[in-house]
Amino acid sequence: MPSRTGSNRAAYAVLADELRAGIVRGDYAGERRLPTETSLAVEHGLSRQTVRRAYLELVSEGLVNRVPGRGTFVADRPPTYRRQFASVEDLMGLAIDTTVEIVRPLSRGVSIETAARLALDSDVVHSLAYIRSHQGVPFGWTTVSLPPSVATLLSDVPEVSTVGASHSLTVIGLLEQRLTHPIAEAEQTISAVRADGRLVDLLGCNPDDPILRIDRLFISATGDPVELSVGYFLPDQYTYRTTLRR
């Protein structure tokens, strides 16, 4: 049965993640038909209503098509990348079905603004930058900045220190394995900006195209900022979705 994470995600969302990952891996090649609601319900110990809700999530994302009387099939067209983010664990889940290519490896620099956002006593920060892709299609450019003490934890990790390194890891996932105190929360700001020359070259968009900018400041359980992530995403390739609860 799909397990819930520390964020108490609903069973349908966990199942949708598993099916989504299976589609990306090519588990349903050939006829491209996914298991029936009944077989999934039995396999995972869930109700058919829960399984149906999971499938409806994938339909809304353009990942699958439901054909009455025949079943559920993988969609022919590559879908827009769409994930639901409601926790830090969900952000780590980007490693499931996306890849990054390091364009600027982790290195030391000076930035008054970034240092201030990380609540540092000096202006020295360490940063890296990468392109994130889904099914070979680039959809985001992200710069990650770290306090010097945190950057030291990744100094021997080739995935962040080598130009051209390609992998499916996330920086917060790498840090989570090394931090004394785990990441507890993330402060997030979403805004719309216009593509400049740098983004045009990196993402293949047009000058002044609207771009989604997402800033995330990750904070440890002791209240210390440990990472600042500033990402730019193509709106026609990336849809951000969240759930608001009372």
Side-chain angles (χ1 to χ4, degrees):
M1 176 176 178
S3 59
R4 292 170 177 259
T5 66
S7 59
N8 291 322
R9 296 184 67 224
Y12 80 85
V14 178
L15 178 58
D17 280 349
E18 293 186 5
L19 294 170
R20 187 184 294 109
I23 291 171
V24 173
R25 288 193 304 266
D27 293 352
Y28 308 107
E31 293 186 356
R32 303 172 67 83
R33 181 176 179 176
L34 279 75
T36 65
E37 291 180 3
T38 300
S39 63
L40 283 176
V42 172
E43 177 183 354
H44 295 286
L46 300 171
S47 69
R48 285 190 60 183
Q49 182 178 2
T50 298
V51 175
R52 185 175 298 114
R53 177 72 184 276
Y55 270 147
L56 289 176
E57 287 289 302
L58 302 184
V59 169
S60 70
E61 296 170 13
L63 275 172
V64 302
N65 296 318
R66 309 264 292 184
V67 182
R70 293 187 57 201
T72 304
F73 297 83
V74 178
D76 291 330
R77 295 181 59 190
T80 296
Y81 186 72
R82 181 183 298 177
R83 289 290 299 276
Q84 178 160 313
F85 300 109
S87 68
V88 173
E89 285 81 4
D90 290 344
L91 293 173
M92 292 183 185
L94 282 167
I96 295 175
D97 53 5
T98 69
T99 59
V100 302
E101 179 183 349
I102 301 299
V103 176
R104 189 173 73 240
L106 184 63
S107 59
R108 182 181 184 275
V110 174
S111 173
I112 297 174
E113 179 184 356
T114 302
R117 297 183 68 179
L118 288 169
L120 300 178
D121 295 329
S122 76
D123 299 332
V124 176
V125 297
H126 291 247
S127 64
L128 67 147
Y130 54 80
I131 294 175
R132 186 173 292 279
S133 302
H134 174 58
Q135 296 184 355
V137 179
F139 68 86
W141 162 260
T142 300
T143 298
V144 170
S145 300
L146 308 170
S149 60
V150 175
T152 300
L153 301 176
L154 301 181
S155 60
D156 61 344
V157 180
E159 287 85 356
V160 299
S161 59
T162 306
V163 174
S166 180
H167 53 79
S168 59
L169 303 174
T170 62
V171 176
I172 55 174
L174 291 170
L175 288 177
E176 190 76 357
Q177 304 169 25
R178 295 166 172 79
L179 289 170
T180 302
H181 302 286
I183 296 171
E185 62 183 21
E187 298 176 355
Q188 179 171 270
T189 303
I190 302 176
S191 57
V193 298
R194 293 185 180 276
D196 57 19
R198 174 193 53 173
L199 294 175
V200 168
D201 293 337
L202 290 167
L203 300 178
C205 55
N206 297 314
D208 294 330
D209 273 358
I211 295 287
L212 189 66
R213 171 172 169 161
I214 302 180
D215 291 27
R216 297 188 182 106
L217 180 65
F218 294 92
I219 301 172
S220 72
T222 57
D224 299 311
V226 295
E227 176 188 328
L228 174 64
S229 167
V230 179
Y232 297 88
F233 301 93
L234 295 174
D236 60 338
Q237 295 290 338
Y238 179 86
T239 299
Y240 188 91
R241 180 180 180 185
T242 187
T243 297
L244 304 177
R245 298 184 177 91
R246 297 193 66 176

